[in-house]
Amino acid sequence: DPGRALTATAISQAHGLPELLGRVLAARGAETHTAARYLDPSLRHLLPDPASLQDMERGAERFAHAIRASEPIAVFGDYDVDGAASVALIQRFLRAHGQEAATYIPDRLTEGYGPTPASMTALAEEGATLIITVDCGTAASPAIEAANARGVDVIVVDHHQADEVLPQAFAVLNPNRQDDLSGHGHLAAAGVVFLFLVATARALRSSAAHAQNAEPDLLALLDLVALATVCDVVPLKGVNRALVAKGLKVLQHRRNAGLRALADVARIDAAPTCYTLGYILGPRINAGGRVGASGLGAKLLATDDESEARVIAAKLEALNTERKVIEERMLAEAFALAESAIETGRPFIWLAADGWHKGLLGLVAGRVAERFALPTFVTAWEPDGEGTGSARSIASVDLGRVVRDAVQDGLLSKGGGHAMAAGFKLDRRKEDDVQAMLGQRLAVPVAAATASRPLAIDGALSSGAVNVELMELLERAGPYGAGHPEPRFVFPTHRLSRVRIVNDEHVRCTLVAANGARLEAAAFRVGDTPLAKLLRNGEGKLLHLAGHLRRDNWNGRDGVELIVEDAAEASGSR
């Protein structure tokens, strides 16, 4: 792209940056006048006015009033990382004002997602006069009506896609409600909660609420916001980049007792990164909701008790190990079924089975969608014929809207989510009708999304150019994640050496350049894909390889390895 090349040069010259970094920034949307904010995303410049969200001031004033009056408050949260972090944010904010809130995290296996009339009634009967739902509530009209009937106000703080008709809550704070024009629909629920706390602190500042208690340090809570933002895989653009960048710095100080205990049990001894959040801490927090007690994650993130934190962290570590065993078994079954499903030629993969663990459906759907590059729906059937399902999409295909439309059409009994992920319930007798509807709705967008899937490349490198100094340069344009991908490089004409297969799923090898320079490389979770077969049989061959670089801190070393995403045989490879 000549235009992007000119932008990259302009960025490099204007800011005195190496040309490679200019290319990386330009490829991610930076312009000469915005590059500085990419290199140093600042909350001062990127944090929106909370009042730009619909109902924000109304909700914040109600929360501030409850704090001033010491009202009984309850928090209803989701069981994933975003929900757990959101609950902990509210709890820590209240604790700074000398108060505690009752907490309700539904059991993933027996209650499912979101508030129900029974759960909201239970909180009202326990005395709550204000209930705050976090990372849920937008599609919970019957539950909120049950709370209203008992004189309880409900504030919904959420980010899931919303129908035109909203629940009759006191306030619905959701940048993805259809009448919200703030433009911040990319926020995770914890990001919306953070804005809610900023607005509430502003409302309290004008009263005597902060006279008795020191005003809470909201910036010290950004480790939780960063954790949720990365784990919920929302785009790292705009304020999300600032929330994650600043949150990682807070995390380095290890102030949160729960995160500190979890990092210790996971043996994290390097500076935290987005990888740390998304692939080490996040899965362990999620393990409680998937195969154990749903409230463990929120309890860990909210506690200040060192002993309690260590006990919960150890429990989550054990549950995560149990989760891996169950997931491996389900994945083996799912991949086998998927191989048959793709032969139908449908624009999606539908997998359903009796006895599958409902807590792991999303993980399985994500892995299948990643391997076969098709939207994937995974359902576990109950003996009574009800199915609980989870869906994961591919880029440019909005599953959340399709699932919500299926609910409105009476095909699904319940459902909702994001463009890339959704959950649902259905009657087994309607399985064929649901699949027919999906075939009609997904044919065109999936065809468009899969017609051309080029691998965006930031440049070409040789093994000899890869070192820690290069990583430090690239990290200046981070943090990387969804919507702001890690730089991807081609390594042309490298010979493969020391090819090793790990657990039948991963391939490790060494790349050797023409001058003898070496670079360790790995392809993870490739199974028996064409990439895996090429690498497994590549000993001594010349290949062109593409992927992103990652620091390798294993056993105290400070190296770099290539995470291989694609490869092709080079001419003269024998």
Side-chain angles (χ1 to χ4, degrees):
D1 185 343
R4 183 171 291 171
L6 290 174
T7 301
T9 300
I11 290 174
S12 300
Q13 293 177 349
H15 298 277
L17 301 173
E19 181 184 352
L20 179 62
L21 189 56
R23 292 207 306 269
V24 169
L25 290 168
R28 283 148 189 77
E31 302 286 347
T32 306
H33 63 285
T34 62
R37 293 185 183 179
Y38 276 77
L39 293 170
D40 183 20
S42 165
L43 287 174
R44 176 177 298 178
H45 295 113
L46 295 172
L47 189 71
D49 182 351
S52 63
L53 273 67
Q54 286 280 5
D55 274 5
M56 179 62 79
E57 291 183 297
R58 175 176 169 82
E61 287 290 349
R62 178 65 184 89
F63 190 28
H65 173 78
I67 292 172
R68 288 193 295 264
S70 297
E71 285 186 48
I73 300 170
V75 185
F76 189 106
D78 189 17
Y79 32 62
D80 68 359
V81 176
D82 196 11
S86 296
V87 170
L89 285 167
I90 299 287
Q91 291 283 28
R92 288 183 172 279
F93 185 83
L94 282 172
R95 194 174 301 146
H97 292 91
Q99 299 180 42
E100 294 283 342
T103 299
Y104 195 112
I105 309 290
D107 185 280
R108 187 176 202 141
L109 304 182
T110 61
E111 296 178 89
Y113 169 79
T116 62
S119 59
M120 297 294 264
T121 298
L123 290 173
E125 289 177 348
E126 290 174 6
T129 56
L130 173 66
I131 299 175
I132 303 172
T133 71
V134 292
D135 199 24
C136 59
T138 298
S141 289
I144 291 172
E145 289 171 6
N148 291 342
R150 286 158 180 77
V152 177
D153 289 335
V154 179
I155 298 174
V156 174
V157 188
D158 197 4
H159 71 138
H160 291 92
Q161 291 178 343
D163 293 323
E164 185 175 347
V165 178
L166 296 170
Q168 295 299 305
F170 185 89
V172 178
L173 316 181
N174 185 339
N176 284 307
R177 54 186 278 181
Q178 295 185 25
D179 61 345
D180 190 292
L181 304 179
S182 66
H184 296 292
H186 55 286
L187 285 168
V192 184
V193 170
F194 184 76
L195 292 182
F196 177 49
L197 299 183
V198 170
T200 303
R202 182 185 299 169
L204 289 169
R205 203 169 292 135
S206 60
S207 69
H210 286 144
Q212 299 175 352
N213 301 283
E215 184 170 345
D217 180 5
L218 295 181
L219 296 181
L221 301 176
L222 286 177
D223 50 1
L224 296 176
V225 182
L227 175 71
T229 300
V230 171
C231 291
D232 223 52
V233 201
V234 293
L236 291 191
K237 65 178 185 178
V239 66
N240 279 349
R241 296 197 67 246
L243 292 172
V244 172
K246 304 309 178 188
L248 285 171
K249 292 180 179 179
V250 173
L251 191 60
Q252 284 185 339
H253 296 295
R254 292 167 54 92
R255 293 170 181 156
N256 183 293
L259 287 174
R260 184 167 61 249
L262 199 61
D264 289 343
V265 79
R267 297 180 176 86
I268 297 173
D269 55 6
T273 64
C274 288
Y275 180 86
T276 309
L277 299 177
Y279 292 93
I280 301 178
L281 297 178
R284 286 167 168 81
I285 295 169
N286 266 333
R290 295 191 188 280
V291 295
S294 295
L296 279 180
K299 192 172 184 180
L300 176 78
L301 299 179
T303 188
D304 289 320
D305 186 307
E306 297 283 350
S307 297
E308 181 181 48
R310 286 194 293 271
V311 170
I312 297 175
K315 177 65 173 176
L316 288 174
E317 179 71 11
L319 290 173
N320 191 51
T321 301
E322 180 183 345
R323 184 270 303 173
K324 290 179 181 178
V325 174
I326 301 172
E327 182 187 351
E328 287 179 5
R329 185 177 68 248
M330 285 181 62
L331 276 173
E333 297 176 12
F335 283 145
L337 292 173
E339 292 284 359
S340 300
I342 60 175
E343 295 178 359
T344 65
R346 293 183 300 191
F348 63 94
I349 294 174
W350 180 274
L351 308 176
D354 298 314
W356 271 353
H357 196 293
K358 291 190 291 185
L360 301 179
L361 298 176
L363 286 176
V364 172
R367 292 284 300 277
V368 174
E370 179 184 8
R371 175 166 295 190
F372 295 99
L374 283 173
T376 300
F377 298 76
V378 180
T379 300
W381 296 118
E382 298 286 356
D384 62 1
E386 181 182 61
T388 298
S390 189
R392 295 295 183 270
S393 194
I394 59 176
S396 303
V397 178
D398 187 345
L399 276 194
R401 180 173 296 278
V402 174
V403 167
R404 287 189 295 111
D405 288 347
V407 173
Q408 292 183 346
D409 292 345
L411 297 173
L412 299 176
S413 56
K414 186 178 181 181
H418 312 284
M420 294 297 291
F424 56 90
K425 286 185 177 293
L426 78 159
D427 188 308
R428 195 166 192 163
R429 293 169 294 184
K430 295 186 178 181
E431 182 180 13
D432 291 342
D433 294 335
V434 171
Q435 292 187 61
M437 180 265 198
L438 294 175
Q440 294 172 356
R441 287 293 304 273
L442 294 175
V444 172
V446 169
T450 57
S452 175
R453 288 180 291 189
L455 205 62
I457 301 297
D458 289 285
L461 294 174
S462 179
S463 295
V466 177
N467 51 38
V468 173
E469 288 72 26
L470 174 66
M471 292 302 295
E472 292 174 347
L473 174 67
L474 296 175
E475 286 165 0
R476 293 183 61 189
Y480 299 106
H484 191 80
E486 293 182 271
R488 183 183 291 117
F489 299 102
V490 167
F491 288 78
T493 321
H494 279 62
R495 191 174 301 277
L496 258 62
S497 173
R498 298 181 63 243
V499 177
R500 294 95 71 197
I501 301 169
V502 182
N503 296 332
D504 294 326
E505 271 287 297
H506 321 299
V507 180
R508 285 193 172 275
C509 57
T510 302
L511 310 186
V512 184
N515 64 357
R518 293 173 175 264
L519 174 65
E520 295 302 310
F524 293 114
R525 299 192 307 194
V526 289
D528 59 354
T529 61
L531 174 59
K533 293 174 182 177
L534 178 61
L535 296 176
R536 288 178 176 184
N537 299 315
E539 182 73 38
K541 294 182 179 180
L542 290 175
L543 299 183
H544 305 310
L545 302 104
H548 61 272
L549 299 168
R550 189 174 75 187
R551 284 184 182 265
D552 180 10
N553 301 113
W554 182 252
N555 285 335
R557 62 173 297 197
D558 191 10
V560 183
E561 65 180 351
L562 174 68
I563 307 302
V564 179
E565 298 175 80
D566 201 0
E569 194 165 349
S571 59
S573 61
R574 290 182 294 178

